[in-house]
Amino acid sequence: MEVFEPINVSDFGNSSPAKHDGNTTTLCTWYLPPFEWLKLVTLFAGVAGNGLTVVAIATDRKLHTKTYATIAAIAMADFVYCTMAVLWSTLLFAYLDYSNYRQYRKCINDFLFLLMNTVVGVLFSASYIASSLSVSLLSIVRFVILSLPLKANTILRRSSLVFIIILIWFLSITLAVCKNIPLQSISRKNINLVDVFFTFIVPLLTIIIFHGMKIFTLKQSEYRKTEVKKMERLVVAIILLFFVCNLPWQVLRLLAQYKVFVPGYLLQTTMGYLLQFNNCVNPVFYAFLSPRIRHSICILFCRFRANQ
């Protein structure tokens, strides 16, 4: 595996193999600074919110539609991502030497350390990529359904949607393997550029273009103006959130990659927190604002209380 670089220490969307300092016994005290606790709490909220979204959609037959299936795909990717991030924080970050944050102390057994650097690392990166591409897919699905209602069933067949979601995960895992497992024929700089393209540029352009065309089409139709204005505000909020949370990290990573600027721990971890925050709050924008999903969640809690 590639030597662990400082820019990758808190890269919550683009995990990198952990390099340790060879010390397996001394200074192995489990400790997280206050900011890392904030990250961990946010991640647990992300696990809960995304997990609840997946369960709500899966258990309610009325939500078994193309739109909600795509929302479930986003939530599933974010659920895996947040879960892997929790493991990374508690098993590796908790033993980080913050005076020399470029290296981890190896304070877990060899098998677990290997697992973190292979399976967890790949799932970490793959789920982040899959989430970004699924957000792009949702923008396209919503545009087709709202703007082309008569052709939607022809263009968006269930089998086609399932195939696209599987293809997204295949592409995401392939890219994640290339990032986390050393391949002499592939430059890491090239892989990172491809990663920026799929996790930032493609989703951002897709959201802007397809949501913009959807709003334009609705304005030209007889759709209620108040509803269109609500959609406009939501679209602007989604675009701003994605842009603000992702751009700083992508810029920082590229600057460090080309050795233009190497950030300190505080700046790096702040940008990393913004990156992970986006995935943790995705359920709010894509799921919890939907009355149908909220109703399904209420039914889940009612069933749980009845069983108790």
Side-chain angles (χ1 to χ4, degrees), residues 53-74:
T53 300
V54 173
V55 174
I57 294 174
T59 56
D60 190 344
R61 291 185 178 181
K62 294 180 181 180
L63 299 181
H64 292 179
T65 65
K66 299 178 183 69
T67 298
Y68 290 111
T70 311
I71 292 174
I74 297 173

Side-chain angles (χ1 to χ4, degrees), residues 249-268:
W249 176 259
Q250 302 294 353
V251 172
L252 199 66
R253 182 166 61 144
L254 291 176
L255 290 176
Q257 176 176 295
Y258 291 99
K259 303 187 185 304
V260 176
F261 172 70
V262 178
Y265 167 75
L266 183 60
L267 177 61
Q268 179 179 316

Side-chain angles (χ1 to χ4, degrees), residues 219 222-232:
K219 279 187 172 181
E222 297 180 356
Y223 207 76
R224 287 179 296 179
K225 292 184 178 180
T226 54
E227 294 297 324
V228 174
K229 288 183 178 180
K230 287 181 181 179
M231 287 186 185
E232 283 182 326

Side-chain angles (χ1 to χ4, degrees), residues 237-250:
I238 290 173
I239 293 172
L240 286 178
L241 178 72
F242 185 86
F243 185 82
V244 170
C245 289
N246 283 268
L247 181 65
W249 176 259
Q250 302 294 353

Side-chain angles (χ1 to χ4, degrees), residues 13-301:
N14 306 277
S15 61
S16 173
K19 177 184 176 183
H20 64 88
D21 58 8
N23 189 344
T24 59
T25 56
T26 61
L27 301 177
C28 283
T29 302
W30 197 95
Y31 170 75
L32 285 176
F35 198 4
E36 298 298 334
W37 275 109
L38 175 62
K39 292 180 183 178
L40 197 57
V41 171
T42 305
L43 287 170
F44 274 118
V47 170
N50 285 295
L52 191 59
T53 300
V54 173
V55 174
I57 294 174
T59 56
D60 190 344
R61 291 185 178 181
K62 294 180 181 180
L63 299 181
H64 292 179
T65 65
K66 299 178 183 69
T67 298
Y68 290 111
T70 311
I71 292 174
I74 297 173
M76 191 61 184
D78 287 337
F79 175 81
V80 174
Y81 167 78
C82 292
T83 302
M84 296 303 105
V86 168
L87 292 176
W88 200 268
S89 293
T90 54
L91 296 179
L92 288 179
F93 253 74
Y95 299 107
L96 188 67
D97 182 359
Y98 291 95
S99 63
N100 181 20
Y101 68 94
R102 302 181 185 188
Q103 291 184 329
Y104 293 110
R105 298 188 182 101
K106 186 181 177 184
C107 296
I108 54 179
N109 63 59
D110 292 337
F111 173 76
L112 194 56
F113 192 78
L114 177 63
L115 193 69
M116 292 294 296
N117 282 283
T118 51
V119 177
V120 173
V122 169
L123 287 176
F124 202 176
S125 295
S127 57
Y128 180 76
I129 299 168
S131 174
S132 300
L133 294 178
S134 297
V135 168
S136 300
L137 178 61
L138 180 63
S139 302
I140 298 171
V141 168
R142 281 179 165 169
F143 166 74
V144 172
I145 291 175
L146 290 175
S147 303
L148 305 169
L150 298 179
K151 299 179 180 180
N153 289 330
T154 303
I155 299 174
L156 291 174
R157 297 178 180 177
R158 286 191 177 185
S159 57
S160 301
L161 189 61
V162 171
F163 174 77
I164 293 172
I165 292 173
I166 293 174
L167 185 63
I168 285 174
W169 273 98
F170 177 79
L171 176 64
S172 301
I173 292 174
T174 301
L175 184 56
V177 168
C178 293
K179 289 177 59 181
N180 286 270
I181 297 178
L183 297 172
Q184 294 181 353
S185 59
I186 302 178
S187 167
R188 181 167 182 86
K189 288 185 177 180
N190 293 334
I191 287 294
N192 283 339
L193 290 175
V194 173
D195 182 67
V196 171
F197 177 75
F198 281 114
T199 61
F200 181 67
I201 297 176
V202 169
L204 182 62
L205 291 178
T206 306
I207 292 171
I208 293 173
I209 293 171
F210 284 95
H211 278 306
M213 289 193 301
K214 179 186 69 177
I215 296 298
F216 177 78
T217 303
L218 292 177
K219 279 187 172 181
Q220 301 303 312
S221 66
E222 297 180 356
Y223 207 76
R224 287 179 296 179
K225 292 184 178 180
T226 54
E227 294 297 324
V228 174
K229 288 183 178 180
K230 287 181 181 179
M231 287 186 185
E232 283 182 326
R233 289 194 291 266
L234 180 60
V235 167
V236 170
I238 290 173
I239 293 172
L240 286 178
L241 178 72
F242 185 86
F243 185 82
V244 170
C245 289
N246 283 268
L247 181 65
W249 176 259
Q250 302 294 353
V251 172
L252 199 66
R253 182 166 61 144
L254 291 176
L255 290 176
Q257 176 176 295
Y258 291 99
K259 303 187 185 304
V260 176
F261 172 70
V262 178
Y265 167 75
L266 183 60
L267 177 61
Q268 179 179 316
T269 200
T270 302
M271 299 303 101
Y273 176 74
L274 284 176
L275 187 73
Q276 74 174 32
F277 181 78
N278 182 62
N279 294 73
C280 293
V281 300
N282 271 344
V284 175
F285 288 92
Y286 295 112
F288 298 158
L289 291 179
S290 167
R292 296 176 68 179
I293 291 183
R294 292 201 302 269
H295 180 261
S296 181
I297 291 173
C298 289
I299 292 176
L300 283 176
F301 280 109

